Amino acid sequence: MFTINNLSKTYGNDYIIINGKIVINTHDKCALVGKNGSGKTTIMNIINGNTDYEGNLEKNDITICKFNQIEEIQDTAQNYLIDYQNYDYEKENIIHQLIDMFELDSNILLKQFNTLSGGQKSIIRLIKTLSSKSDLLLLDEPTNHLDFKSINILINWLKKFEKSYVIISHDRFFLNEISNKVIEIENKLINSYNCNYDEYIKRKKKRIENEEENYQKNIKEKKRLNTIKQEQDKFKNKLNTKLSKLKLIHGPNKAAACSARQKGEKSQIRYGKNISVTDQKIENLNLIKPNIDNNRLRIELFQTNKSNYEVIELDECSKSIEDNLILNKINLEILRNDKIFISGNSGSGKTTLINSIINKKFDNGNLKLGDNIIIGQISQEKFHLQKEIKIIDYFKKKYSKIDLGIMRNYLAAFLFKKNEINKKLNELSGGELMRIDLLDCLIKGSNLLIFDEPTNNLDLESIEALEKAIIEFEGTIIVISHDKKLIENCANKKYELKCGKLIKKVTF
């Protein structure tokens, strides 16, 4: 259906993809994975025909529709969804079916798009894409701002979709549920696996192990053959010297006979029968180092100040916004080392809850914060980092008492190395800004970390590093998240915020 051979792509003088191959067949459900900056969105744009590249394209007569997460829309949701100038009755029916499926209030259609919540905007944009009747859908981070319910609805729709799609997502559970093929970009190369995401992780691990094993075997074999080759060359040189002397004394015939006899005896004694090592034989050994990205993010969240055992206690705490009751008599006890995860539908009040804790402001009830609590906050919005200042200067100014060499080591541990520390904050990606916030918490010595949707804008590798750090952190963590894998692997207490109440959950 869609194939690009010998695909290469450059930005300036730098290649981000070298001699890759992308094949998308009918019914392929592709997860496109790779680190932030590896070229995933670029690949989407190449498939969609929005950017140039080197390569050979083979494509059937297919229609392609790309999900646009950042498109500015100055209109009502209804006018955005329905093209009245090119009206399509069948498409409008599909749109209304999708609205019912996502359980959206029909009144939302009459509202200005820019007045909707983040979750509502994402759903409206998804409905626009899913109703396009295209042969190939391109979905870049479709689960951002979606709650569990909406994510499950999308999963069920994609499972029934009879055509093809390519999806970029940071949600590992979601990717595993909706994929039968994984296209991976790593170190400028493209690898494809015909399986779901979990199986891809296993196969990739096995492939790397096999490549590394073969690489080490070939190194040993090359060393062995070089030793034999050196001995052979040494023997030949000695023999040629001796033959030259024999020729001077006895003439060529005698020398030839002596040569054959001595060569046969020597080779049998030293090397065994029929062993001959040539330079070409050594060169034919595959000594290409496995394509493994060793520049991996390692996050260590350590606390320098131990908090009291009782960290936070909420007793009948309530909060209203513009006469709307958002939090209704919340009761919650958080102890040292707790890993608290909170989920809930969009607009349920999750961010209001953590902001009220941080600011110690509820309308009613009692909030008790333990002694020696140092809070580190990772918010969804990064307005505090939208500054035209270099990374190194930001930290030098904020932590002037820390030695510059130590500060550089901190930054290097979070993959800000060499010239990268001179990048300006307002030029960084969402994932890079997340790393800045995490490092900030680490340097501050926070013993209570509060994360609001921390996996948004992170690549899968960074999420796995964050997950490991949360598990190993010896302090207390409160996380708002809809990442099922993160919750399953890290949480010791799970809550859902629903209708203003905090409900303890066993699973989601």
Side-chain angles (χ1 to χ4, degrees), residues 183-323:
I183 301 171
E184 174 200 61
I185 308 171
E186 185 173 43
N187 284 347
K188 305 178 183 180
L189 302 180
I190 296 176
N191 299 302
S192 293
Y193 300 78
N194 292 314
C195 57
N196 64 13
Y197 181 79
D198 281 354
E199 182 62 25
Y200 145 73
I201 294 295
K202 295 175 186 175
R203 291 187 189 183
K204 179 182 178 180
K205 183 181 178 183
K206 186 67 176 175
R207 174 181 66 80
I208 291 172
E209 288 173 351
N210 290 340
E211 287 178 358
E212 184 64 29
E213 183 180 351
N214 290 333
Y215 177 67
Q216 294 300 331
K217 280 182 181 178
N218 285 342
I219 286 177
K220 289 180 182 178
E221 180 63 6
K222 183 177 181 179
K223 187 176 180 181
R224 187 183 75 85
L225 292 179
N226 274 326
T227 301
I228 294 175
K229 180 74 166 52
Q230 288 169 6
E231 289 293 318
Q232 284 183 344
D233 291 343
K234 184 177 177 182
F235 171 72
K236 287 176 183 177
N237 290 335
K238 189 183 289 187
L239 183 61
N240 287 335
T241 302
K242 192 167 186 178
L243 284 172
S244 296
K245 290 180 180 179
L246 287 170
K247 283 180 183 179
L248 292 173
I249 299 171
H250 301 289
N253 291 334
K254 180 94 173 176
C258 181
S259 168
R261 186 180 69 253
Q262 290 190 13
K263 188 175 182 180
E265 289 171 355
K266 292 282 186 180
S267 63
Q268 285 183 10
I269 292 169
R270 289 178 184 245
Y271 314 115
K273 295 181 180 180
N274 300 323
I275 292 182
S276 176
V277 178
T278 64
D279 290 332
Q280 186 62 46
K281 188 170 184 178
I282 295 172
E283 287 176 10
N284 287 341
L285 281 172
N286 179 21
L287 285 183
I288 300 174
K289 200 165 185 179
N291 183 43
I292 303 169
D293 186 358
N294 292 315
N295 193 30
R296 304 184 74 84
L297 177 64
R298 297 173 182 85
I299 300 174
E300 292 185 30
L301 300 174
F302 54 83
Q303 58 166 346
T304 54
N305 302 283
K306 198 171 185 178
S307 71
N308 279 9
Y309 180 69
E310 295 176 344
V311 177
I312 292 173
E313 184 179 353
L314 302 182
D315 181 21
E316 302 284 296
C317 289
S318 299
K319 181 75 174 178
S320 295
I321 298 178
E322 295 180 354
D323 297 327

Side-chain angles (χ1 to χ4, degrees), residues 31-241:
L32 180 58
V33 303
K35 292 174 67 172
N36 284 345
S38 63
K40 299 188 298 296
T41 300
T42 299
I43 290 294
M44 284 279 205
N45 289 331
I46 287 172
I47 295 171
N48 200 36
N50 297 135
T51 190
D52 60 340
Y53 61 93
E54 302 170 26
N56 304 312
L57 171 64
E58 300 173 15
K59 184 178 78 167
N60 295 348
D61 185 17
I62 59 172
T63 55
I64 300 174
C65 184
K66 186 174 184 290
F67 172 67
N68 195 335
Q69 186 76 272
I70 59 173
E71 180 184 7
E72 286 290 335
I73 300 162
Q74 302 295 332
D75 209 336
T76 64
Q78 180 168 286
N79 288 341
Y80 169 67
L81 287 174
I82 301 171
D83 184 356
Y84 288 104
Q85 290 184 342
N86 301 289
Y87 184 71
D88 185 331
Y89 177 77
E90 181 185 354
K91 185 175 179 178
E92 184 175 355
N93 275 342
I94 296 171
I95 288 170
H96 285 290
Q97 288 171 14
L98 290 166
I99 288 170
D100 292 340
M101 184 181 78
F102 280 104
E103 299 181 7
L104 281 181
D105 187 335
S106 58
N107 291 329
I108 286 175
L109 295 179
L110 303 177
K111 293 182 178 181
Q112 287 293 315
F113 185 86
N114 57 13
T115 66
L116 304 180
S117 71
Q120 290 167 342
K121 288 177 181 176
S122 288
I123 291 171
I124 293 294
R125 285 188 171 112
L126 273 171
I127 290 172
K128 176 86 167 180
T129 307
L130 303 184
S131 64
S132 66
K133 300 192 289 185
S134 300
D135 301 302
L136 176 60
L137 301 180
L138 305 177
L139 306 176
D140 192 346
E141 296 290 2
T143 62
N144 274 3
H145 308 294
L146 297 188
D147 53 39
F148 282 136
K149 187 176 182 180
S150 298
I151 290 171
N152 287 330
I153 290 169
L154 179 59
I155 287 171
N156 290 332
W157 189 92
L158 290 170
K159 283 181 175 181
K160 295 173 184 177
F161 185 58
E162 296 180 353
K163 297 180 183 179
S164 303
Y165 52 72
V166 180
I167 292 181
I168 298 171
S169 177
H170 63 270
D171 188 323
R172 294 163 292 174
F173 173 82
F174 174 73
L175 284 181
N176 194 58
E177 289 292 307
I178 54 84
S179 62
N180 63 15
K181 184 174 188 174
V182 176
I183 301 171
E184 174 200 61
I185 308 171
E186 185 173 43
N187 284 347
K188 305 178 183 180
L189 302 180
I190 296 176
N191 299 302
S192 293
Y193 300 78
N194 292 314
C195 57
N196 64 13
Y197 181 79
D198 281 354
E199 182 62 25
Y200 145 73
I201 294 295
K202 295 175 186 175
R203 291 187 189 183
K204 179 182 178 180
K205 183 181 178 183
K206 186 67 176 175
R207 174 181 66 80
I208 291 172
E209 288 173 351
N210 290 340
E211 287 178 358
E212 184 64 29
E213 183 180 351
N214 290 333
Y215 177 67
Q216 294 300 331
K217 280 182 181 178
N218 285 342
I219 286 177
K220 289 180 182 178
E221 180 63 6
K222 183 177 181 179
K223 187 176 180 181
R224 187 183 75 85
L225 292 179
N226 274 326
T227 301
I228 294 175
K229 180 74 166 52
Q230 288 169 6
E231 289 293 318
Q232 284 183 344
D233 291 343
K234 184 177 177 182
F235 171 72
K236 287 176 183 177
N237 290 335
K238 189 183 289 187
L239 183 61
N240 287 335
T241 302

Side-chain angles (χ1 to χ4, degrees), residues 467-478:
E467 181 181 287
K468 186 173 184 291
I470 289 174
I471 292 170
E472 294 177 351
F473 182 58
E474 294 181 352
T476 307
I477 296 181
I478 304 172

